[in-house]
Every structure is written in structure tokens, then in C-alpha cells.
């Protein structure tokens, strides 16, 4: 679990994760916003189905893949949360049409 | 900042200290310069979010971090164009950059290219390192710098290297709690590092480094001489099991395990361009070959910063300037004499910044057992390939990572071998009883970062390229 | 003591790609003592870069015997797959759902129809079922085709497999049969002595064998003349794109598009004369991508995770070369560009002849003598 430092300041950004309302701090990446909201597991792998959480936070490991606004397999640590963004955790392989 | 031009004299890829310094120097000389970076803001890894971090108290991240602000400002005033949020997925031999920005791909030609793509954390493959809750210490640092987030509950740091201690120190400054630091630095390293002590004593590292170490040791339980490590838990890390020396297994509760054993050059782009690389036995990693000016074996492509071999942020900055001077010379903007004259102070600064590096490299060289993991360890996170499978492939006659890739799919996933390449090379070398240099590394191809098929389809095509597909 | 008894191996197969591995596996299975001499980790090895189709449709125009040979391999592919599974536990994921070849215009569809007609009108052609389907018929099987698809040809004999698993299965199987796989042993020269062969490998090593099979792909061109054979092959570059793993959506191989058992979509391909240069050209991959998106627009959203360029081994007429040396009868050459499709034949049909020491007459059409142009009178 992660917590925000007391003096960390900035605008609040509303978004949804798997349909539930949540809030990020302006500047958060999707991966950071999920961790800040207590969501550690962002996907299950397409190979064995094992759960994964972000590992590198710098775009190299691809463990932070999530569906963002209906587009699958996006690197959560490389995309900033925008107001109203719809984020979904992923289960295995992405679908062709989203 | 201004819109993108259709081509540039100089393109710099990576906005860390190396890239910022290079682009600033070049643009000030009046050549058209663009700086491209994946991140939304300048700073690279060390100065990540330095212009916008929500961490207000400057004591938390420390003065070395804030030094980065002093690189960003001159860059912004230099006249260079800046493309944040831009992923470079290919550079061709004729110096055309394939980039992707806001979901659209395009080709940007340049006359000279400086790669300043930095470093990534060396893979630390131990059993359980794929469990949720286990992440790189560098990753935790990114969360702190760009979002003001710290881990809570039982937090264990494990590994070796300056960055591990730096993170511990920053966490303490931020008021976060650390259950323990498991130090995997091999005992024998101290003995081997001692002869290099003099360089270190003269370096800028010693004062800062010692203070930081003492600070951390005063406040956190440090468990030294850790020789074995694994994470356990069901769907989430719950505990860390370790061994000290030859002692019995011990267990610590942990909801977050932060691993680190140094950084290595991020060489995928250089490798895919075709830059020759060699095995660096001291740093135990592959490094693209460069000359004293950062020039690679590919005409028109140079490298600066940690991507050319780990030297740290200050070295990266000075190297960036040297590489930029050489680029100016190659572009015909300054003659050789001027290049050499202008380079002198930067060279001197670089030498100074490099002092003590050998000591650190020797001291923090990760143990064999943490570079060549046990059979049950996943080495390729993407395709979930274990060390045992790699060893079995060697038994079938597989002699290097490329053959292993076709046997096992290791390195075929989206990370393109970044998280398994060094381990696979070392496991094969160990199993064959030869040096990693002989075993080799993955041969990489563009795109080095995924782009969508639609983006790829949208790129310009020449007549003969179309014919090669449609009219043969 | 005969020469063969003094040899280290009954047969030395030069080349550990798909042709060499399949043939060697077939030989080892018959109890032959086999060695495979191969290059190192980085080699021009199309076996690692192929498209994994087991494809019949359209093959054999200009050489009906090749059509028949292909058909035969396709028919015994199921047997090969189960032999490999029984021996190694590896499922090479062979499927034969039939394959589509899409046409992106009426003209292209008509061309295709004419070509298949001409193929089947050849004397000695072993005829098989195929169908020319219009857009509506194709859409019934694959509703997600793009608006540009005019139709497709379909042949129920076409299929695909996982060629990397195939490669691994052969190597695992060879190991179980006790064959010796010798990597980093590029063959420099071959001598014929006392009825056997002496192969000198890089670094001065030596291997002796009673018989040899040249399956060294491009390098067979250099080696063949050393044993009274010829293999005038040249490289032809082909690009391939692979996407990220995607939930299954495509049941059939569609010519240059197929979904693998692991979920990735493979997209091909190109045909270029580029020597031994395997540099990937973005313009070529872009053309390949554009065509694929026209066939299935949904593909556009998928991320490309890898592209590569591999070199096909091509004879002057594109058909395989199988031949036994007249002057040194223990030497054979085998080379072709469809090593996946023909793997079943190499393992189950060609290997037994080599084990017996004689290629029968039916192989005469595949001899490289067909390229000997008579000197103008
Ligand atoms: C996670 C992490 C944390 C670190 N923290 C510290 C620290 O706190 N203190 C310290 O002294 N050292 C730290 N280091 C080491 C430090 O990063 C380096 O010494 C220093 O940053 C090197 O500078 P650079 O300019 O070479 O590369 P970097 O600072 O790494 O900059 C490289 C830049 O290139 C970009 N990039 C890479 N590939 C592409 C591409 N294909 N397309 C577009 N952009 C690309 C990256 O996004 C990045 O912004 C850290 C290293 C890592 C990996
Ligand atoms: S966390 Fe590693 S790529 Fe995002």
C-alpha cells in the first residue's frame, strides 16, 4: 500500500477504475493513481494468469498494463491521469476490439 | 515551446542530465536542435518531475535532486525544441527517427543524433520477484518524486548499490517507515574495493555517501551479508525469506519489497540501430562501444550519459556537453581546434566526476547468486520463463540468448528483453562455463517500444518498399 | 573394416535449421547415429524467422511434382505432430482448419482464380479442393473483414503450427534419440576419403561420417561443390510483424495474417533482393501493416511488439533442391524455402531414403541439374 505525503499538494483529478469513482493528484500517472487508491494488482498475465503490479515505473517492464478509455494494454506508468478517465484492470490477453 | 520542424540538425533522445546538457549547449550555438523524451516533463530518472514534483519540502529529495532544476532552466532558454511525451521507437541508419506522440507516428530526419536514453535498474531475479508488492527501489523513488507517494505497512528494502541507500534516506526524510534493509553486498567486495579507496576518498561521493549511510544505519535495522532472498505470498507479497551468510533461513513480514542491485545502460535503441556493444566485466553489463566523444560505431549516432556506461548523473551532464561539441564539429559548425578547446573544462569536470567510480563498481558488484538465479526463479517476466528452462535449453545445445529466445520465447514479450536479457546471458554463460562476452546478447529490432499497427501503417513508404510487398 | 565403421557418425547433417533438424530427426528415429553441425547463436537462420504456415494452396505452378510433394507433406503433418508429442511432450500446435488468401480488389480475386485454374490444369497435377469465395461468403466465416476485401480463395488443406515449438521439439527429440547437436561448428570444408566424409569445422575441429546431408541453407551454395553437388540458392528478404498477445479471434490462417496459439498476430511479408542484409525497413513494415489493416481493420489497435527481416533460401525457380551426388554417392543436399510445410516430408519421407543410401527416381525432378543451361550451339 502507498500513502501520500502530507505536504504533497496539487489539484484533485476524478477518474474511474473498474467503474468505481476514484481520485488522483494532478501529475499522477495511471499506475501511480491506482497504487494511491490501494489497487496493487493491475492485471493478470496472459501466459499463466498470475497477478502483477507495476514493477519499474519507468516504462520498461510492461507489468503496469491496463485498459484506458477502452484501449487495452496501455502502459499505466507512462500515461497521466486525465479528468474522467476510465481505467480498467486487465484479465489476461487484451481483446481485439478494445 | 515552438512546433515541430520537419527536420533538425541535431536530435537528442532523452531529457535526463546528459540530454538536457547536450541539447542546451548545441542549441545555444544556433543549430536547430530538438529534445525528445517519453516522460511528460524534463529531468530523466534522477531529476524526475523536478519542475513539478508535489514534494514541497526540499529536504526530502535532497540537494542532488534539486541540482536538476539548474539544468532545466538554461535548456528552456536555449532555443531548442522540446517534445515531451514522445516515444522514439526506431532510428534508421540514414538517421530517420521513428517517433510516436499522442497516438500518432511520424518520421523525423536529423543530421546527427545523440542518444541519452540513460539507465534502467539491473534485473534482480529472485523467487517471487513477480509478486504484486515487489518493485524496484527506483520505481518507489519515481512514485515519491512524481506523486509524493511512499509505501506503508511493512516495507523491506533489499539489495546493494548507492540508489538503495539513497531511497532509504529519502524515505526517512519523508517520514516513511522501513522495516529493514537487507544488504546483499558480498563481504568479499569490500576487500576487492579497498585498493580503489584513494580515488573514492578524493571524490565527491565520499562525504555525501558516508553521511547518508550513517543516517540510514542509525534509524533502520540493517541486516548485512544477505546471501539468499525470496519473496513469498499468495497473490501479493507477505514475507521476505532470506539467509545471512551460511545461516538458517529467516523471515520478515513485508507488504512491500523494494529490490535494487545497481543500474545498467538502457541499450535497446542503440542495439536496434546496430551500434556495436561489448561486455563490461567490471559493471557486469553490456555497453555500447563509444569513443572519447561518445561516437558509436554507427555514423551520425552518438551516446551520452548512463546509456554509454554507468557513470552517474554528473558524469552524464559533462558527457552530454562533450558529445554536443563533437556533434557541432561533425555538423561543420565549429572546427576541430575549437571543439578541443571548448571541451577542456568539461573533460576536466568529467574526470573529476568519474573519481571513485571504480570503488563503487567494485564494492557494489552484485553477487553471482543474484545475477545467476536458482532454477525455480522466473527470469523472463513477460513470457514467464524460469532459469531451469534456460539451463535445459543449454543442455540441448542452445549456445546463446537468440537461440534461447526461439526455444523458450524469453525476451519475446513487450519488454523486449530489458528485464531478462542480462540474466539470460549470465545464466547461459554460467551453464556453458564461458564468459558472457562469448555468449552475446539479444539482437534487437525496431520498434524498440510498441506502436500500434495503425501507427505503423500510417508511415510514409517509398515506391520500392511498396513493390517489395505488393508487386513482387 | 569398412570406411563407415571408422567414422564417428553414420550421417553428419550440416545445418541445424528446420530442414536439417527435421531430416536429422527422421534419420535418428530410424536408429542412425547422427551429428548435426551448426553455427552459433547469431546466424542467418530463417528457421527462427518464418511464418509457420503449413500451406498447400497455389503451390506447384511450373512444377506439378512440387504441388504433389507439398500436398503429401501436408497430409502427413498430423502424424509428425503426434510423433513429436509422444516423444517429447511438446505440442507443436498443428491445425488444419483450411486457409484463406484474401483479395483486396475484384481484379486481384480474378487473378487468383485464374492462377489456381492454370495450376490445376497442368499435366500431372495432383488436384485438390479449393474454392473462390466472394465477399459475402468470406464475411460469413470472418465477419470482421474490412470493406476493401473483395473475396478470397480458400483451400481446406491449409494449416499452420507453432514453428518455434516445432524447432524445439525436433531438438528435444534429437537429444532423446541420442543424436549429437554440435553448435558453433560451422563447416569450413568437406573431403571425401575412403568412402566416408571428413568435415573440417571452424577452429580446426573435425567430424567424420559415412554420409552427409547438406542442409545449411544459404551456405549450401558454398559447400555443395565440395562434394560434387550444386545448390545455386540466393537470399530473399522477407519482413514479418508480430503483435502483442490478443484473445483468440482468428480461427484461420489468412495468407499473410495468422493468429498464433499464444495469441500474437503474425503479419507478413515481403520479397526483396537485399543480399545478406537483415535490416528492417520501416517503409516495408508500414506497407505490410497497411495491407493487414485493410483486411482486418480491428488489427489497427493492436500494439506491434516485434518486427524482423529473415532471409528465405531461394533456388532460381523457387522450387526445392534434393539431390544425391553422382561422384560421391554418400553426399546429399536438401534445400527449400518452405521448411515448415515440408518438415513432415523431410522427417518421414526424405530421411528414410537417405538412411537407405539412395534417393529414388521420383526425386530427379528436384535435381539442381535442371538449372544447367545448355551452352548455345
Ligand atoms: C529508476 C532510477 C532512479 C534513479 N535515481 C537516482 C537518484 O536518485 N540519484 C542518483 O544519483 N542517481 C539515480 N539513478 C541513476 C541516474 O539515473 C543516472 O546516473 C542519471 O540519470 C543518468 O542520466 P542520463 O541523462 O544518462 O539518463 P536519464 O536520466 O535516465 O534520462 C534518460 C531519458 O531518456 C528517456 N528515454 C529513454 N528511451 C527513450 C525513447 N526510446 N524515446 C524517448 N525517450 C526515451 C527516458 O524517459 C529518460 O527521461 C537512478 C536510476 C534509475 C534507473
Ligand atoms: S511499471 Fe514498468 S512499464 Fe510501467
Amino acid at each position: 500500500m502507498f500513502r501520500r505525503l502530507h505536504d504533497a499538494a496539487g489539484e484533485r483529478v476524478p477518474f474511474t477504475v473498474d467503474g468505481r469513482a476514484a481520485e488522483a493528484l494532478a501529475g499522477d500517472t495511471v499506475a501511480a493513481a491506482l497504487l494511491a487508491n490501494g489497487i496493487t494488482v493491475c492485471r493478470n498475465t496472459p501466459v499463466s494468469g498470475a497477478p502483477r503490479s507495476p514493477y519499474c515505473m519507468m516504462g520498461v517492464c510492461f507489468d503496469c498494463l491496463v485498459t484506458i478509455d477502452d484501449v487495452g494494454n496501455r502502459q499505466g506508468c507512462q500515461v497521466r491521469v486525465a479528468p474522467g478517465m476510465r481505467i480498467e484492470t486487465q484479465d489476461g490477453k487484451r481483446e481485439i476490439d478494445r | 515551446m515552438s512546433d515541430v520542424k520537419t527536420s533538425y540538425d541535431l536530435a537528442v533522445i532523452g531529457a535526463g542530465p546528459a540530454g538536457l546538457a547536450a541539447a542546451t549547449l548545441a542549441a545555444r550555438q544556433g543549430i536547430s536542435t530538438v529534445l525528445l523524451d517519453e516522460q511528460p516533463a524534463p529531468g530523466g530518472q534522477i531529476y524526475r518531475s523536478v519542475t513539478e514534483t508535489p514534494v514541497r519540502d526540499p529536504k526530502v529529495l535532497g540537494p542532488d535532486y534539486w541540482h536538476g532544476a539548474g539544468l532545466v532552466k538554461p535548456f528552456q532558454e536555449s532555443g531548442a525544441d522540446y517534445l515531451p511525451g514522445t516515444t522514439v521507437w526506431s532510428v534508421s541508419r540514414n538517421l530517420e527517427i521513428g517517433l510516436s506522440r499522442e497516438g500518432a507516428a511520424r518520421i523525423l530526419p536529423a543530421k546527427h543524433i545523440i542518444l541519452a536514453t540513460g539507465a534502467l535498474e539491473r534485473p534482480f531475479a529472485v523467487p517471487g520477484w513477480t509478486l504484486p508488492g515487489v518493485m524496484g527501489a527506483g520505481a518507489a523513488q519515481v512514485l515519491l518524486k512524481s506523486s509524493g507517494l511512499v509505501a506503508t505497512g511493512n516495507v523491506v528494502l533489499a539489495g546493494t548499490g548507492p540508489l538503495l541507500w539513497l531511497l532509504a534516506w529519502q524515505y526517512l526524510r519523508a517520514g516513511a517507515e522501513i522495516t529493514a534493509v537487507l544488504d546483499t553486498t558480498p563481504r568479499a567486495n569490500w576487500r576487492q574495493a579497498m585498493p580503489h579507496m584513494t580515488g573514492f576518498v578524493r571524490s565527491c561521493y565520499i562525504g555525501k555517501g558516508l553521511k547518508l549511510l550513517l543516517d540510514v544505519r542509525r534509524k533502520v535495522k540493517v541486516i548485512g551479508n544477505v546471501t539468499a532472498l525470496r519473496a513469498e505470498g499468495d497473490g501479493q507479497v507477505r514475507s521476505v525469506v532470506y539467509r545471512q551468510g551460511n545461516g538458517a533461513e529467516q523471515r520478515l513480514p513485508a507488504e512491500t519489497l523494494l529490490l535494487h542491485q545497481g543500474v545498467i545502460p538502457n541499450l535497446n535503441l542503440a542495439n536496434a540501430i546496430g551500434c556495436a556493444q561489448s561486455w563490461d566485466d567490471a559493471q557486469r553489463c553490456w555497453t555500447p562501444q563509444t569513443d572519447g566523444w561518445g561516437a558509436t560505431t554507427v555514423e551520425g549516432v552518438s551516446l551520452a550519459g548512463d546509456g554509454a556506461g554507468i557513470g552517474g548523473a554528473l558524469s552524464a551532464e559533462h558527457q552530454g556537453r562533450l558529445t554536443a561539441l563533437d556533434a557541432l564539429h561533425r555538423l561543420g559548425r565549429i572546427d576541430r581546434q575549437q571543439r578541443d578547446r571548448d571541451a577542456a573544462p568539461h573533460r576536466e569536470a568529467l574526470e573529476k566526476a568519474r573519481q571513485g567510480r571504480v570503488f563503487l563498481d567494485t564494492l557494489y558488484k552484485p553477487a553471482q547468486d543474484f545475477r545467476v538465479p536458482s532454477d525455480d526463479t522466473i527470469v523472463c517476466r513477460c513470457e514467464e520463463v524460469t532459469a531451469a528452462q534456460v539451463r535445459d535449453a543449454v543442455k540441448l545445445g542452445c549456445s546463446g540468448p537468440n537461440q534461447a529466445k526461439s526455444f523458450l520465447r524469453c525476451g519475446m514479450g513487450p519488454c523486449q528483453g530489458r528485464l531478462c536479457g542480462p540474466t539470460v546471458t549470465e545464466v547461459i554463460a554460467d551453464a556453458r562455463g564461458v564468459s558472457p562476452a562469448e555468449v552475446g546478447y539479444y539482437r534487437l529490432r525496431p520498434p524498440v517500444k510498441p506502436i500500434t499497427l495503425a501507427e505503423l501503417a500510417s508511415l510514409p513508404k517509398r515506391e520500392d518498399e511498396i513493390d517489395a510487398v505488393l508487386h513482387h | 573394416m569398412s570406411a563407415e565403421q571408422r567414422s564417428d557418425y553414420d550421417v553428419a547433417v550440416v545445418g541445424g535449421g528446420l530442414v536439417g533438424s527435421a531430416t536429422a530427426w527422421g534419420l535418428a528415429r530410424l536408429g542412425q547415429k547422427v551429428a548435426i553441425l551448426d553455427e552459433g547463436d547469431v546466424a542467418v537462420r530463417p528457421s527462427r524467422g518464418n511464418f509457420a504456415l503449413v500451406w498447400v494452396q497455389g503451390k506447384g505452378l511450373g512444377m506439378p511434382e512440387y504441388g504433389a510433394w507439398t500436398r503429401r507433406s501436408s497430409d502427413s503433418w498430423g502424424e509428425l505432430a503426434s510423433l513429436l508429442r509422444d516423444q517429447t511432450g511438446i505440442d507443436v500446435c498443428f491445425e488444419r482448419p483450411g486457409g484463406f488468401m484474401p483479395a483486396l480488389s475484384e481484379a486481384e480475386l480474378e487473378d487468383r482464380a485464374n492462377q489456381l485454374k492454370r495450376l490445376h490444369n497442368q499435366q500431372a497435377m495432383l488436384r485438390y479442393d479449393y474454392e473462390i469465395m466472394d465477399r459475402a461468403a468470406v464475411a460469413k466465416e470472418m465477419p470482421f473483414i474490412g470493406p476493401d476485401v473483395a473475396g478470397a480463395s480458400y483451400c481446406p488443406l491449409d494449416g499452420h503450427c507453432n514453428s518455434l515449438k516445432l524447432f524445439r521439439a525436433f531438438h528435444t527429440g534429437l537429444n532423446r534419440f541420442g543424436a549429437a547437436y554440435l553448435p558453433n561448428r560451422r563447416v569450413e570444408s568437406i573431403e571425401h576419403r575412403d568412402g566416408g566424409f571428413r568435415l573440417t569445422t571452424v577452429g580446426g575441429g573435425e567430424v567424420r561420417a559415412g554420409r552427409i546431408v547438406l542442409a545449411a541453407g544459404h551456405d549450401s551454395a558454398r559447400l555443395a561443390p565440395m562434394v560434387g553437388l550444386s545448390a545455386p540458392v540466393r537470399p530473399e528478404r522477407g519482413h514479418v510483424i508480430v503483435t502483442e498477445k490478443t484473445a483468440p479471434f482468428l480461427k484461420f490462417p489468412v495468407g499473410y495474417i495468422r493468429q498464433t496459439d499464444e495469441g500474437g498476430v503474425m503479419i507478413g511479408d515481403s520479397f526483396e533482393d537485399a543480399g545478406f542484409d537483415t535490416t528492417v525497413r520501416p517503409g516495408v513494415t508500414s506497407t505490410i501493416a497497411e495491407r493487414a489493416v485493410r483486411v482486418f481493420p480491428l488489427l489497427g489497435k493492436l500494439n506491434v511488439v516485434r518486427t524482423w527481416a529473415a532471409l528465405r533460401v531461394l533456388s532460381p525457380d523457387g522450387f526445392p533442391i534434393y539431390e544425391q551426388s553422382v561422384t560421391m554417392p554418400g553426399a546429399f543436399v536438401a534445400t527449400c524455402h518452405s521448411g515448415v510445410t515440408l518438415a513432415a516430408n523431410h522427417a518421414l519421407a526424405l530421411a528414410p531414403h537417405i538412411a537407405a543410401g539412395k534417393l529414388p527416381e521420383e526425386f530427379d525432378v528436384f535435381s539442381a541439374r535442371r538449372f544447367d543451361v545448355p551452352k548455345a550451339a
Side-chain angles (χ1 to χ4, degrees), chain A residues 31 53-65 75-78, chain B residues 139 419:
Chain A
S53 60
Y55 182 79
C56 75
M57 290 303 290
M58 55 178 284
V60 302
C61 75
F62 291 78
D63 266 328
C64 59
L65 298 177
Q75 276 178 286
C77 74
Q78 299 294 90
Chain B
L419 272 280

Side-chain angles (χ1 to χ4, degrees), chain B residues 89-90 92-93 107 382-383 395-409 411-414 416 432 439 441 443 445-447 449-462 464-470 472, chain C residues 16 38-43 45 48 162 164-165 167-168 171-172 175 181 183-184 241 243 245 262 267 269-272 278-293 299-309:
Chain B
W89 46 264
S90 114
S92 68
R93 290 235 171 191
I107 300 286
C382 296
E383 297 289 340
K395 281 186 204 134
L396 287 182
C398 160
S399 59
N402 293 293
Q403 190 86 328
K405 191 167 165 178
S406 43
F407 271 45
L408 304 171
R409 297 188 63 81
M412 278 199 185
Q416 303 188 335
R432 288 182 52 203
V439 167
Y441 194 73
R443 267 173 72 183
R445 298 274 195 271
K449 284 287 179 99
I451 53 169
T452 66
L453 202 65
E455 281 180 275
L456 184 57
S458 73
L459 296 175
K461 307 159 187 71
R462 283 185 265 269
D464 62 318
E465 293 168 332
I466 295 172
D467 286 349
V469 181
L470 303 180
H472 51 86
Chain C
D38 205 2
E39 289 186 279
D41 187 53
V42 175
R45 200 170 282 147
R48 297 203 298 230
N162 182 317
L164 295 181
K165 286 183 183 166
F167 197 51
R168 181 156 60 98
H171 280 264
T172 307
N175 185 271
Y181 175 69
N184 300 307
I241 300 172
T243 74
K245 293 182 165 72
E262 281 129 352
I267 303 168
D269 55 4
S270 62
F271 305 84
E272 301 152 89
T278 55
T279 310
V280 169
R281 292 172 78 194
V284 174
T285 48
S286 178
T287 310
I288 291 172
E290 188 179 27
R291 178 175 65 174
V293 173
L299 289 176
K301 279 193 180 185
L302 296 186
N303 287 302
V304 172
V305 292
R306 278 177 300 128
T307 65
W308 67 82

Side-chain angles (χ1 to χ4, degrees), chain B residues 14 16-18 37-39 44-46 86 88 116 118 141 163 166 305-306 312-313:
Chain B
D37 195 292
E38 285 185 287
Q39 304 301 328
Q45 299 312 339
I46 171 158
T86 302
V88 173
Q141 202 194 34
L163 185 57
L166 175 61
D306 273 3

Side-chain angles (χ1 to χ4, degrees), chain C residues 33-211:
Chain C
K33 195 171 171 215
V34 179
I36 302 102
L37 292 91
D38 205 2
E39 289 186 279
D41 187 53
V42 175
V44 185
R45 200 170 282 147
S47 309
R48 297 203 298 230
N50 67 65
F51 207 70
L53 292 174
V54 178
W55 201 255
V56 176
Q57 180 174 170
K59 286 189 176 163
L61 188 57
M63 190 195 269
E65 295 84 353
Y66 175 56
W69 178 242
T70 299
R71 163 84 198 260
R72 175 171 170 190
S73 197
S74 150
D75 286 342
S76 37
W77 232 101
E79 184 193 346
L80 173 67
S82 62
L83 287 170
L84 286 171
R85 186 173 40 237
D86 292 348
Q87 190 204 6
T88 67
I90 298 171
D91 179 1
V92 301
C93 302
F94 170 65
E95 278 184 27
R96 190 151 82 152
F100 288 83
M101 193 67 194
L104 286 166
S105 66
E106 289 300 338
E108 193 186 339
L109 190 62
E110 206 178 299
D111 270 1
R112 178 84 38 71
N114 286 334
Q115 224 176 13
L116 286 170
K117 210 177 284 163
R118 269 194 292 143
L119 173 71
H120 286 264
N121 282 344
Q122 292 181 112
Q123 287 267 327
M125 181 67 195
L126 186 66
R127 291 190 183 77
Y128 50 77
D129 286 347
Y130 69 88
E131 219 178 303
I132 300 293
M133 292 184 177
D134 63 10
R135 184 182 159 76
V138 179
K140 240 204 227 141
E141 297 294 343
M142 298 179 286
F144 41 82
I145 51 171
D148 292 350
V149 176
S153 53
Y154 170 80
C155 170
L157 299 178
D158 295 329
H160 56 166
C161 72
N162 182 317
S163 65
L164 295 181
K165 286 183 183 166
L166 175 66
F167 197 51
R168 181 156 60 98
F170 276 136
H171 280 264
T172 307
L174 280 162
N175 185 271
R176 301 252 162 103
F177 284 138
Y181 175 69
L182 309 172
N184 300 307
R185 296 290 290 272
R186 180 176 190 268
V187 174
E188 304 272 86
S189 63
I190 308 170
E191 276 175 287
H192 187 46
R193 285 242 190 113
D194 314 327
F197 295 86
R198 184 187 295 235
L199 300 94
T200 309
T201 63
V202 70
E206 205 180 87
V207 169
R208 286 178 304 167
R211 263 158 293 139

